[in-house]
Amino acid sequence: MSWLDIGIVVIVLLCLAAALKLLQRFVPHPVREAHNDVAGFIFAAVGVLYAVLLAFVVIAVWEANDSARKTTFREADSLAGIYWISRELPAPLGPQLEKQTLDYARLVMDTEWPLMAEHHSSPEATQLVYGMRAGVFSIKPESQQQNVLYEHAVSHLENLASERRQRLNQVDDEVPPLLWTALIAGAVLTIGFTFLFGLSNTLSHTLMVLALAGLVVISLIVIKEMNFPFTGVTAVKPTAFEVFLNRLPPPR
């Protein structure tokens, strides 16, 4: 949670505390207390519906982040498959393909990952995929072993391209604006209902309202931070490519 998020929580709670103070002044608790039974019944229904909506969105954004993380590992696994096959191929194609896989991993980590936080991708990384594709398709198998290597290389290459497309598509995964509208409207309605209750102990009422409001606002901030898989405090890191580069054998 950033300082901006903390500031948002504090400002919301201060505004609600001031609003409750004004409410108590102009609409004393005996007036509101007469409607506690009816308000409590309606509040229970509203609270359950909003809790279901909130839980659904939190789970959805969490699963989107988890899916993006798994996509990066599948992409790195496919890249590693091409790398290991390249070490079995003769020069000049083998060393060239090996270099392309390493360049791709470093380019994705150092250049494309920061670009994804801004919802962009690296054209250079795309060109490297095209270069690897041209290299793999230029293989002319002359034996059964080379034919097996060629088939595996094509399979890894197609998987790499597919997982890359999936990763770039996930860059723009987000909670739809309509759902954000429902979340914010539901938060206002749920917290607003607490103003209808009247309690003789004003301090207890204030603490209960602020506790509920704090929980709702923090939940919305969590959704905001997880809204895009590659941005925010929970952003997916290039761990898969780091693992690939850190486990390389000595150069041949």
Side-chain angles (χ1 to χ4, degrees):
M1 184 179 292
S2 65
W3 287 108
L4 176 61
D5 296 334
I6 295 174
I8 291 173
V9 174
V10 172
I11 291 173
V12 169
L13 294 183
L14 289 176
C15 290
L16 286 175
L20 285 169
K21 186 73 174 177
L22 291 174
L23 178 70
Q24 182 61 27
R25 180 178 177 180
F26 293 105
V27 188
H29 75 270
V31 177
R32 290 174 281 123
E33 196 171 11
H35 309 290
N36 278 359
D37 292 339
V38 176
F41 177 79
I42 299 176
F43 176 75
V46 171
V48 169
L49 289 174
Y50 187 67
V52 171
L53 175 64
L54 203 59
F56 168 76
V57 177
V58 170
I59 292 173
V61 295
W62 174 262
E63 288 181 346
N65 277 38
D66 186 55
S67 176
R69 187 175 294 104
K70 290 177 179 177
T71 298
T72 64
F73 275 92
R74 289 194 298 266
E75 183 183 358
D77 286 344
S78 299
L79 185 67
I82 299 172
Y83 169 82
W84 287 111
I85 290 175
S86 71
R87 293 178 64 89
E88 301 298 324
L89 298 175
L93 177 59
Q96 174 188 332
L97 194 57
E98 178 181 344
K99 181 179 183 301
Q100 287 174 328
T101 59
L102 300 179
D103 289 344
Y104 178 81
R106 296 189 181 101
L107 188 60
V108 168
M109 284 178 51
D110 301 334
T111 303
E112 189 163 58
W113 224 264
L115 288 175
M116 289 194 300
E118 301 174 359
H119 309 283
H120 299 296
S121 62
S122 169
E124 292 82 2
T126 302
Q127 291 302 318
L128 274 175
V129 174
Y130 292 156
M132 285 186 279
R133 183 190 298 272
V136 168
F137 287 163
S138 70
I139 299 175
K140 304 298 182 184
E142 298 178 355
S143 65
Q144 181 63 29
Q145 180 184 9
Q146 290 183 355
N147 189 60
V148 171
L149 288 175
Y150 172 73
E151 290 178 354
H152 280 79
V154 171
S155 176
H156 288 307
L157 181 63
E158 293 303 322
N159 289 338
L160 172 68
S162 175
E163 298 303 335
R164 173 178 170 77
R165 287 192 298 271
Q166 178 70 10
R167 170 169 60 84
L168 296 181
N169 287 336
Q170 290 169 330
V171 166
D172 293 322
D173 281 353
E174 64 174 325
V175 176
L178 181 62
L179 201 51
W180 269 117
T181 302
L183 286 170
I184 295 173
V188 173
L189 185 62
T190 302
I191 297 171
F193 251 102
T194 61
F195 281 62
L196 300 178
F197 291 96
L199 295 178
S200 57
N201 190 329
T202 305
L203 178 61
S204 297
H205 185 207
T206 301
L207 291 177
M208 286 188 286
V209 173
L210 295 184
L212 175 63
L215 180 61
V216 170
V217 173
I218 289 174
S219 298
L220 293 177
I221 288 175
V222 168
I223 294 173
K224 177 184 74 71
E225 289 295 327
M226 298 177 65
N227 194 20
F228 296 102
F230 297 97
T231 59
V233 295
T234 61
V236 177
K237 306 298 181 184
T239 307
F241 295 94
E242 293 173 357
V243 171
F244 165 64
L245 291 174
N246 291 335
R247 294 182 180 178
L248 294 177
R252 57 178 178 174

